[in-house]
Amino acid sequence: MLNVCRTVCSQKLKTIRLFSSDTIFALSSGHGKCGVAVIRVSGKNSPTALKLLTDSNVLPKARSAILRRIKHPISKETLDRGLILWFPGPKSFTGEDSFELQVHGGIAVVNAILNALGSIPSLRLAEPGEFTRRAFHNAKLDLTEVEGLADLLQAETELQRRQAYLQTEGSLSKLYNKWKKTLTNGVAHVEAHIDFGETETLEPHLIEHVAKDIHILARDIEQHLADGRKGEILRNGVKTVILGEPNVGKSSLLNLLCERPAAIVTPIEGTTRDVLEVTLNIHGYPLVLADTAGLRSSTKDIIEKEGIERALKLYEKSNLVILVVDMEKYRNWKRIHEERGINKYLKEYVDKLKISNLIDASDENISFTKQCLVVFNKSDLGQDEDASIDEDHFVRISCKTEDGVAKLTHMISQKLRILCGEPSEEHPSMNQLRHRQHLSDCLKSLQLFLDEVSSDDTKEYDLVIMAEYLRKSLRQLGKLVGNVTTDQLLNVIFKDFCIGK
Ligand SMILES: Nc1nc2c(ncn2[C@@H]2O[C@H](COP(=O)(O)OP(=O)(O)O)[C@@H](O)[C@H]2O)c(=O)[nH]1
Ligand SMILES: [Mg+2]
């Protein structure tokens, strides 16, 4: 379809008056058959294009849906009847004059209208993300809002949608712009000091006042950075690895949670070698769940050894571990070691699996170095009265009878809430490495500024250097919201958009 349009675009019909340039159009709804398709046009020749398509000299009422026949600009043939929405700039998504057509979603209908638009000189098919890029250049959105919009289009779960929506609505933007304002104030005051010195026109102790504001700002940024990467984890999905020795039911558990036989299950040890990943939506949180090879050191099989290495690598990078234990084996161990508790068993277990650093345990207490749930599987194979299993992070299940699975899902969702948090407007979380880098650099310069303030007992500050530290911090915030950008950065951000957005 797009090829057809490109061809028509390149063969601009000379019979119609040539427009200056750069009005773009695209199908903004998804490709393929659908009930209604939305076609968007933006740029200074939108009014002319709209008049040509409706075969009228009058533009419709702004921002109202109006039913019209849509005609080919040259042949005047009616192509379809649909709703027209006219958005004169700057009150439009892009900030430019633009309009949208809601037409029947058949492939031929959409093709005919795109071809009709392509036949109008100076109109061309939009590049991916070009509408949003124009909105950014016309200051309709800042960079964090653009990123929020990209995430909104990619969001697969409810909580991802909520986080992206709040960001599109400016939750991060408001926070970062508030910080920018404080910094701009600080820079202005320090520069005034450089220009005028401590004259009567300047407030006494100005630098101390600026330092107080910067101190609060540095603390706020520090707190924002120390959020356990909640926003990033929610955006990317919670990386969860199922670990345990062979044959404990790891693959059975993955199949049960994703409700399909994704992994091969057999009684043969070493069945799973490759890492098998599935993406799940648990109570609105995204879970990237990986089944792995059973961990054992006895194998001579080089393929299984490679699988074990991959499992251990994944363990290092994971946000959440689901440690699977065979209930039968634990019961047998308990019969021999009556005096020893469950913590001892788990400590021996992780030592054997060569993931000792997962657990800190004494007889009474157990703690985990990363978020972890311990699943005692195969509960169907025998009765047991070991009450110590029913703790916060232990759960007894049977993949065979599905007993305990609802409880496990509930416990997983609690872990997901801890890892991702709840997106909120008041305390938005950053969710991209880019944000983290700019904020860390901003904080470094703020700390240098504060070091200058505290290092000089005589209060004879080097104001030139101090102003430069603040300007550097300000530049980082500018990069964050997009006042200071490069084409390279913009290309990276806009590459994730589709045509029509
Ligand atoms: N009785 C019983 N058998 C199970 C249970 N879960 C898994 N199994 C069996 O244990 C064997 C190993 O299961 P699998 O999921 O391949 O274990 P993995 O090696 O840890 O991935 C298979 O024969 C499964 O049918 C369970 O809850 N109860
Ligand atoms: Mg397996």
PDB file of all heavy atoms in Angstrom, residues 250-251 264 271-272 291-292, ligand 2:
ATOM      1  N   LYS A 250      10.420 -27.363  37.024  1.00  0.00           N
ATOM      2  CA  LYS A 250      10.555 -25.958  36.567  1.00  0.00           C
ATOM      3  C   LYS A 250       9.777 -25.742  35.270  1.00  0.00           C
ATOM      4  O   LYS A 250       9.028 -24.776  35.130  1.00  0.00           O
ATOM      5  CB  LYS A 250      12.047 -25.614  36.335  1.00  0.00           C
ATOM      6  CG  LYS A 250      12.901 -25.739  37.575  1.00  0.00           C
ATOM      7  CD  LYS A 250      14.350 -25.405  37.311  1.00  0.00           C
ATOM      8  CE  LYS A 250      15.024 -26.375  36.350  1.00  0.00           C
ATOM      9  NZ  LYS A 250      15.023 -27.783  36.782  1.00  0.00           N
ATOM     10  N   SER A 251       9.974 -26.674  34.332  1.00  0.00           N
ATOM     11  CA  SER A 251       9.283 -26.515  33.047  1.00  0.00           C
ATOM     12  C   SER A 251       7.779 -26.694  33.228  1.00  0.00           C
ATOM     13  O   SER A 251       6.984 -25.991  32.599  1.00  0.00           O
ATOM     14  CB  SER A 251       9.814 -27.527  32.030  1.00  0.00           C
ATOM     15  OG  SER A 251      11.197 -27.336  31.863  1.00  0.00           O
ATOM     16  N   ILE A 264       9.184 -28.451  27.062  1.00  0.00           N
ATOM     17  CA  ILE A 264       9.073 -29.921  27.083  1.00  0.00           C
ATOM     18  C   ILE A 264       9.244 -30.406  28.524  1.00  0.00           C
ATOM     19  O   ILE A 264      10.175 -29.990  29.230  1.00  0.00           O
ATOM     20  CB  ILE A 264      10.153 -30.556  26.172  1.00  0.00           C
ATOM     21  CG1 ILE A 264       9.955 -30.081  24.728  1.00  0.00           C
ATOM     22  CG2 ILE A 264      10.130 -32.073  26.267  1.00  0.00           C
ATOM     23  CD1 ILE A 264      11.070 -30.488  23.787  1.00  0.00           C
ATOM     24  N   THR A 271      16.420 -32.405  30.509  1.00  0.00           N
ATOM     25  CA  THR A 271      15.564 -32.206  29.321  1.00  0.00           C
ATOM     26  C   THR A 271      15.688 -30.764  28.813  1.00  0.00           C
ATOM     27  O   THR A 271      15.847 -30.523  27.625  1.00  0.00           O
ATOM     28  CB  THR A 271      14.076 -32.498  29.677  1.00  0.00           C
ATOM     29  OG1 THR A 271      13.994 -33.832  30.143  1.00  0.00           O
ATOM     30  CG2 THR A 271      13.181 -32.314  28.472  1.00  0.00           C
ATOM     31  N   THR A 272      15.616 -29.819  29.725  1.00  0.00           N
ATOM     32  CA  THR A 272      15.683 -28.401  29.314  1.00  0.00           C
ATOM     33  C   THR A 272      17.144 -27.966  29.237  1.00  0.00           C
ATOM     34  O   THR A 272      17.913 -28.206  30.162  1.00  0.00           O
ATOM     35  CB  THR A 272      14.949 -27.506  30.343  1.00  0.00           C
ATOM     36  OG1 THR A 272      13.667 -28.055  30.587  1.00  0.00           O
ATOM     37  CG2 THR A 272      14.828 -26.080  29.859  1.00  0.00           C
ATOM     38  N   ASP A 291      12.363 -20.211  31.742  1.00  0.00           N
ATOM     39  CA  ASP A 291      12.641 -21.569  32.220  1.00  0.00           C
ATOM     40  C   ASP A 291      14.099 -21.863  31.863  1.00  0.00           C
ATOM     41  O   ASP A 291      14.602 -21.399  30.840  1.00  0.00           O
ATOM     42  CB  ASP A 291      11.711 -22.547  31.497  1.00  0.00           C
ATOM     43  CG  ASP A 291      11.925 -23.988  31.957  1.00  0.00           C
ATOM     44  OD1 ASP A 291      12.402 -24.185  33.097  1.00  0.00           O
ATOM     45  OD2 ASP A 291      11.608 -24.909  31.182  1.00  0.00           O
ATOM     46  N   THR A 292      14.775 -22.597  32.735  1.00  0.00           N
ATOM     47  CA  THR A 292      16.208 -22.819  32.513  1.00  0.00           C
ATOM     48  C   THR A 292      16.569 -24.285  32.735  1.00  0.00           C
ATOM     49  O   THR A 292      15.782 -25.054  33.287  1.00  0.00           O
ATOM     50  CB  THR A 292      17.032 -21.982  33.517  1.00  0.00           C
ATOM     51  OG1 THR A 292      16.648 -22.369  34.852  1.00  0.00           O
ATOM     52  CG2 THR A 292      16.816 -20.501  33.334  1.00  0.00           C
TER      53      THR A 292
HETATM   54 MG    MG B   2      12.878 -28.399  32.440  1.00  0.00          MG
END
